[in-house]
Amino acid sequence: MTAATHSTLFPQGSAGSQYPAAQGGADAVLEGLDPEQREVATALHGPVCVLAGAGTGKTRAITHRIAYGVRAGILQPSSVLAVTFTNRAAGEMRGRLRQLGASGVQARTFHSAALRQLQYFWPKAVGGSLPRIVDRKIQLVADAAAACRVRLDRGELRDVTAEIEWSKVTQTVPADYTAAALKAGRTAPRDRAEIAQLYSAYEDIKRDRGVIDFEDVLLLTVAILQDQHDIAEAVRAQYQHFVVDEYQDVSPLQQRLLELWLGERDSLCVVGDASQTIYSFTGATPDHLLDFRARHPGATVVKLVRDYRSTPQVVHLANGLLAQARGRAADHRLELISQRAAGPEPGYAEYTDEPAEAEGAARRIRDLIASGTPASEIAILFRTNSQSEIYEQALADAGVPYQLRGAERFFDRPEVKRAIHALRGAARFGGNDSLLDDAPDLPSQVRAVLSGDGWSHRPPAGSGAVRERWESLAALANLAQDFAAARTGATLGDMVAELEERAAAQHAPTVQGVTLASLHSAKGLEWDVVFLVGVAEGMMPISYARTDEQIEEERRLLYVGVTRAREHLSVSWSQSRSPGGRPNRRPSRFLDGLRPGSVTTAGRRGAAGPGGSGGVERGVPDSAPDVARRVHRTPARCRVCGRTLSDAGEMKLMRCEDCPSDMDEGLYERLRDWRAVQAERSGQPDFCVFTDKTLMAIAEAVPSTPVELARIPGVRARKLNRYGTDVLAICAGQELGTGEGEQ
């Protein structure tokens, strides 16, 4: 398994590193970049959008961009926040930036950055210490189901948990879930009203136990930045420049947080590829990427299409898949151009049944390893995790080592926790441990300790839990070997410190075996050899993908799988599930017109649409006629004294804090009482309904129509639809009934 960014295991900028520390001035950072990557690196002012195809060196471009800005004195390291989606990617980005002479830049995930801010500002914004964050929601969801007297099996628990997560990242409260899920076309695992009830009970249980979940970290950070303008300004004073990787995967909640970080500024660089949008089920949407130019008409747009990862044969298949795509993302697809020497054509294989397909892949992999291909440079990718078992067995029968990706996190595995505990004890009391008497160096010491937990030089026969435990321990033994080679004189204590640091960042070591992974968990990785298996109708696209949008996401998922291969690509399917079964399966429709002997069943589109070719598009200058440009905002002025307003809270009130208020105090108190009821019903803090400043603005304006209410800052369309009737009734002096607030 290799990260698509080609990061080193222990980046130190030493001899032999893939990314040696850059020498010389700022211009030295630009050496080795292609023309488009150089454009990215030198575009340091204003909004920048990088449309980067698979394998085109986007991480290289944006890290060199940050490093160039720092070394040229344009960017202060501490003022840059680079955001990505996994701890591993953030760690790799930090390593590259250090080697490029840009230490001090913050590279974090959205959640990590938000949590850091939340922990720092919580005592001031709310008081006390931040509530404990639950590691796993599923037990709380089970408790919510018990409270609602709803029986959920294990699969339903997982699916309901996913619905709650989707609701929170799309900023949907329990009362709005039914309508929102219906509008989004989500296939709910249970009756939507029942899920809304479970969601509400889940929020109640969290509140009663004084805990928060992963999504609450973002929600609460957003709420504080919206409501506490002094805290928002403190964050904006710290961070002046933002870079967002994998921008096509941003959820509405993450986009809102990014907007609050930015404020009215536009020093933002986003990087993404709409054709790699494969997480819409989690709330991710490419709309923010595709609408970037509309929101920022002055943006510089750079398209990276030179593919340094895959051979022309693999790239040709990837381009062919997208050439038949439909929809908005397809209209912005990028036509990749391979920069590598020619390689073998992708192979296609049909088998009678799934066991035969698995055995065929295992035989070919065994031959590849025998001919010198490292097992770690081979992957088998499938649509669902349930497909892995048959390939695990086939590889075990063939004597081929393997690892599972996307299952339980490496450092959460019980055998890994026990091993680290044993290594920590050996490091502390090693002089009295007879196990270490005949272990002269670090690797042998680690192997000696691990042998007490079940590690041996030879792997156990077969598959299953015993084999998985051995693979975990073998990964630690291999890591010790690499660590000792990278750090001369390293001790067992140093090794334990390295493991603890990796555990904190969830940076798992590479297991020396063939990777088994779902297509979703393979995103961001690459291998020399990739086997795409089970590429048949009903699995690719998956049977429950029915709408045009769902079918197109399945196509993009296959595209991601194809572009994981550097050189060798094998695509296979089986005619039936089990031996002797009815051979009624056919190859995926996505392969029509691409595999030998097939014809296109749908009209082919041109190879390159509006987003096809690479290059640079400059932003539209304000003086250019007849083109879309950013809406010019007139300065907000106090309606009492006429002074220009810059404070967010004052702009919401449309007056200076010190200027006299004509607010209806009674109306303000009635609005506050109403808000408390709404907040309790939705399980959200008061300020998630309306902030104090918004209620003050309403009490000063006393709107009588929806149009007047909508003019008040803080009353967005969604809140107008949900709360508008109640608010206008309160402003009119009416008494609300017992069903108040329920739309």
Side-chain angles (χ1 to χ4, degrees), residues 34-248:
D34 68 32
E36 291 78 28
Q37 292 172 344
R38 185 178 286 250
E39 288 285 351
V40 174
T42 55
L44 293 169
H45 300 285
V48 177
C49 178
V50 183
L51 302 176
T56 57
K58 66 180 177 67
T59 306
R60 179 179 177 84
I62 58 176
T63 52
H64 281 67
R65 178 182 191 271
I66 295 170
Y68 178 74
V70 168
R71 292 171 67 132
I74 299 171
L75 303 177
Q76 290 297 318
S78 61
S79 72
V80 180
L81 177 59
V83 187
T84 186
F85 278 78
T86 67
N87 285 316
R88 184 181 188 113
E92 290 168 349
M93 188 176 290
R94 286 193 295 270
R96 285 197 185 199
L97 289 170
R98 281 196 302 269
Q99 293 165 359
L100 291 169
S103 297
V105 172
Q106 291 292 314
R108 297 181 173 274
T109 64
F110 270 102
H111 282 87
S112 172
L115 178 59
R116 198 171 188 224
Q117 294 170 19
L118 196 61
Q119 290 171 328
Y120 184 81
F121 290 111
W122 185 270
K124 177 180 179 181
V126 180
S129 58
L130 182 69
R132 180 176 66 86
I133 302 172
V134 293
D135 292 330
R136 300 176 73 241
K137 301 182 184 67
I138 202 158
Q139 184 56 55
L140 292 181
V141 175
D143 294 343
C148 296
R149 300 190 176 183
V150 174
R151 296 189 65 178
L152 300 176
D153 61 30
R154 187 172 180 179
E156 288 174 323
L157 270 174
R158 184 189 63 242
D159 292 342
V160 170
T161 301
E163 287 302 292
I164 291 174
E165 290 174 347
W166 172 82
S167 300
K168 300 188 80 162
V169 301
T170 56
Q171 302 175 84
T172 302
V173 297
D176 294 342
Y177 169 79
T178 300
L182 191 62
K183 183 178 180 182
R186 291 185 70 80
T187 303
R190 304 275 295 208
D191 178 75
R192 292 188 180 92
E194 193 172 59
I195 292 177
Q197 180 188 18
L198 292 169
Y199 179 15
S200 180
Y202 168 82
E203 292 296 318
D204 289 341
I205 288 172
K206 276 200 299 105
R207 185 170 56 252
D208 292 344
R209 297 180 185 178
V211 298
I212 60 177
D213 62 26
F214 204 48
E215 287 71 38
D216 288 332
V217 171
L218 298 184
L219 282 164
L220 292 168
T221 305
V222 164
I224 287 174
L225 294 178
Q226 284 181 161
D227 194 51
Q228 309 264 350
H229 63 269
D230 56 334
I231 292 177
E233 289 306 316
V235 172
R236 292 168 193 157
Q238 171 69 49
Y239 296 118
Q240 307 291 322
H241 188 85
F242 297 85
V243 177
V244 184
D245 194 10
E246 303 288 3
Y247 194 54
Q248 78 279 351

Side-chain angles (χ1 to χ4, degrees), residues 514-722:
V514 172
T515 299
L516 293 174
S518 70
L519 288 165
H520 281 102
S521 62
K523 179 78 166 63
L525 301 173
E526 61 187 54
W527 297 266
D528 285 344
V529 184
V530 169
F531 288 79
L532 292 175
V533 299
V535 188
E537 285 292 305
M539 195 59 73
M540 179 58 67
I542 198 77
S543 58
Y544 52 76
R546 296 187 176 90
T547 67
D548 290 344
E549 291 82 2
Q550 290 168 339
I551 295 295
E552 288 306 315
E553 181 146 340
E554 293 289 299
R555 187 193 306 275
R556 294 193 296 270
L557 190 56
L558 183 58
Y559 171 80
V560 166
V562 168
T563 55
R564 299 310 94 193
R566 297 193 194 107
E567 190 168 355
H568 297 274
L569 177 65
S570 174
V571 183
S572 66
W573 59 92
S574 57
Q575 295 175 326
S576 65
R577 180 180 179 185
S578 55
R582 187 176 178 182
N584 57 358
R585 290 180 174 176
R586 65 173 296 268
S588 169
R589 72 191 74 170
F590 300 146
L591 300 177
D592 291 344
L594 300 174
R595 62 184 174 85
S598 66
V599 295
T600 305
T601 56
R604 289 282 296 271
R605 298 174 66 121
S613 59
V616 183
E617 297 174 11
R618 302 296 177 188
V620 178
D622 289 341
S623 58
D626 302 322
V627 290
R629 60 173 65 93
R630 186 192 303 276
V631 176
H632 178 67
R633 295 187 177 93
T634 56
R637 298 186 182 279
C638 174
R639 55 189 167 83
V640 179
C641 70
R643 182 178 69 84
T644 299
L645 302 175
S646 58
D647 178 85
E650 291 181 340
M651 287 191 286
K652 187 167 286 189
L653 294 173
M654 291 305 293
R655 65 171 174 80
C656 304
E657 289 276 8
D658 299 333
C659 285
S661 168
D662 52 359
M663 180 179 71
D664 183 330
E665 295 285 352
L667 173 58
Y668 177 65
E669 291 304 319
R670 290 196 300 275
L671 287 169
R672 282 175 58 88
D673 292 343
W674 165 85
R675 181 184 65 175
V677 173
Q678 302 307 311
E680 183 177 357
R681 288 180 174 177
S682 64
Q684 302 288 331
D686 287 358
F687 47 71
C688 286
V689 180
F690 284 121
T691 65
D692 287 344
K693 287 292 195 305
T694 299
L695 293 186
M696 291 174 66
I698 294 172
E700 290 184 353
V702 194
S704 59
T705 68
V707 174
E708 292 176 356
L709 179 58
R711 291 195 188 112
I712 296 174
V715 182
R716 295 172 178 262
R718 178 173 166 275
K719 293 191 176 183
L720 181 67
N721 291 335
R722 173 157 175 70

